Amino acid sequence: MREATQDAVSRVDEDRLWRRHLEMAGIGAIPGNGVNRAAFSSEDIAARKRLVHWARARGFSVSVDDIGNLFVRRSGHDARAAPVMTGSHMDSQPRGGRFDGIYGVLAGLEALEAIDAAGAKTRHPIELVAWSNEEGGRFAPCTMGSAVFAGARQLADFLDVKDNEGVALRDALHDTLTAMPDAAPHAFATPVAAYVEAHIEQGPRLEMESKTIGVVTGIQGLRWFNVEVFGETTHAGTTPLNVRRDALREAVAIIVALHELTREVDDALRFTVGRMVVTPNSPNSVASHVLFSVDLRHPDPATIRRLGDAVEPVVRGTAKHCKVKVTPTLWDDPCVFDPGVVDAIEHAAEALGIANMRMPSGASHDAMYLARVCPTGMIFVPCERGVSHNEAENAKPEDLAAGARVLTATLLELANR
Ligand code: GLV
Ligand code: MN
Ligand code: MN
């Protein structure tokens, strides 16, 4: 490992990285040590301001694009070279933990600061990015900011998406952008030399195998749908069962039928109905409308295609008394990361003497969209019992720091190519 890289790696500060996690966890803190920092909420805005404060204190420049992706840049010495990027997201699940997403942002900032403190010169600029609305828990689908940046989706496709309270994304995004008036504008689809994202594993393999670093080889495919069931609201005490058009009862039957689809597939399949919005949501009114989500995942593109294509026929074939509508909201085929970036991460971990293993990702990440536009890879660190999307999500300060060291060395290697 080059001396300049060793110097930068030695400046990764475990205490500072941990303190920043605790400080960010205070923004949107919920009981049980968790975090609720929905995309484009006041908590999301507060987290952005905190990040900008830390970045500016180091003299890094800050910019933002029209979907709120936030960029922090340390210049390189070749004015024509595209940036090497790192980052993740600052939004959380409604009952999320202290590490999902925010770790990749804080590890990226830690790497930038360590590289800067070492005075390391790089040919490419290094840019930290906090992608907007990775979780999709408030505004579906997930990974919106990176999808729009990478040109896979258009911002206009998402402006009318509503949260459970009926707030439109366009209004929440407007509030977010106006809260950052002094960030310079950043365009979509600007060239990126390479992208490396650090993240907690969100599964138990690293812990089970006593490894500190997961060298991620790719991400499984997923498809999302919104299913709507349209019935009629009437009085629960007076309306005979046989004349009802009960949207909730029909939704339950549809979900059971969709579950049957999963029986014929191997155990790599993931199927989740995690969101349901019932109208009018009253114990003594028959439901007039139900919206529920479907999240399907599998590593094989043909399986994910076949199962996703079966969703609408099953929904239509099961509905008896209500009208139904199926809206696909996301289709990401499995992605394979760039061998050059995967190797660079593995070499960095080896050179630092950190126990590592190659592994695929079951969870989705912004890296999936970046992989469409530049060489991309990911670094996983262990989280306790693999628990994630849960308030109890936990990770060790030393593992977080180890991931930041591997990230620092990898970024320096890529930024000098
Ligand atoms: C991201 O959190 C995902 O749904 O995998
Ligand atoms: Mn995440
Ligand atoms: Mn997540």
Side-chain angles (χ1 to χ4, degrees), residues 88-89 91 99-102 134-135 197 199 202 364-365 389:
S88 194
H89 59 98
D91 65 318
F99 304 96
D100 177 359
I102 197 70
E134 190 275 348
E135 293 290 4
E197 177 166 350
H199 207 283
Q202 306 184 277
S364 253
H365 299 284
H389 284 194

Side-chain angles (χ1 to χ4, degrees), residues 305-388:
R305 169 181 289 276
R306 182 170 60 77
L307 281 177
D309 288 353
V311 167
E312 178 149 3
V314 168
V315 171
R316 295 206 174 279
T318 311
K320 295 280 176 294
H321 309 288
C322 297
K323 286 203 162 37
V324 288
K325 183 176 170 199
V326 179
T327 311
T329 59
L330 186 72
W331 185 347
D332 289 329
D333 275 327
C335 95
V336 178
F337 288 148
D338 179 78
V341 177
V342 172
D343 284 350
I345 293 167
E346 192 172 59
H347 287 155
E350 287 292 320
L352 292 168
I354 303 174
N356 64 86
M357 63 187 271
R358 291 191 173 211
M359 62 189 301
S361 174
S364 253
H365 299 284
D366 295 301
M368 192 160 208
Y369 282 107
L370 273 293
R372 298 187 186 193
V373 295
C374 68
T376 291
M378 287 190 77
I379 297 168
F380 278 173
V381 295
C383 59
E384 197 174 292
R385 292 184 297 115
V387 172
S388 186

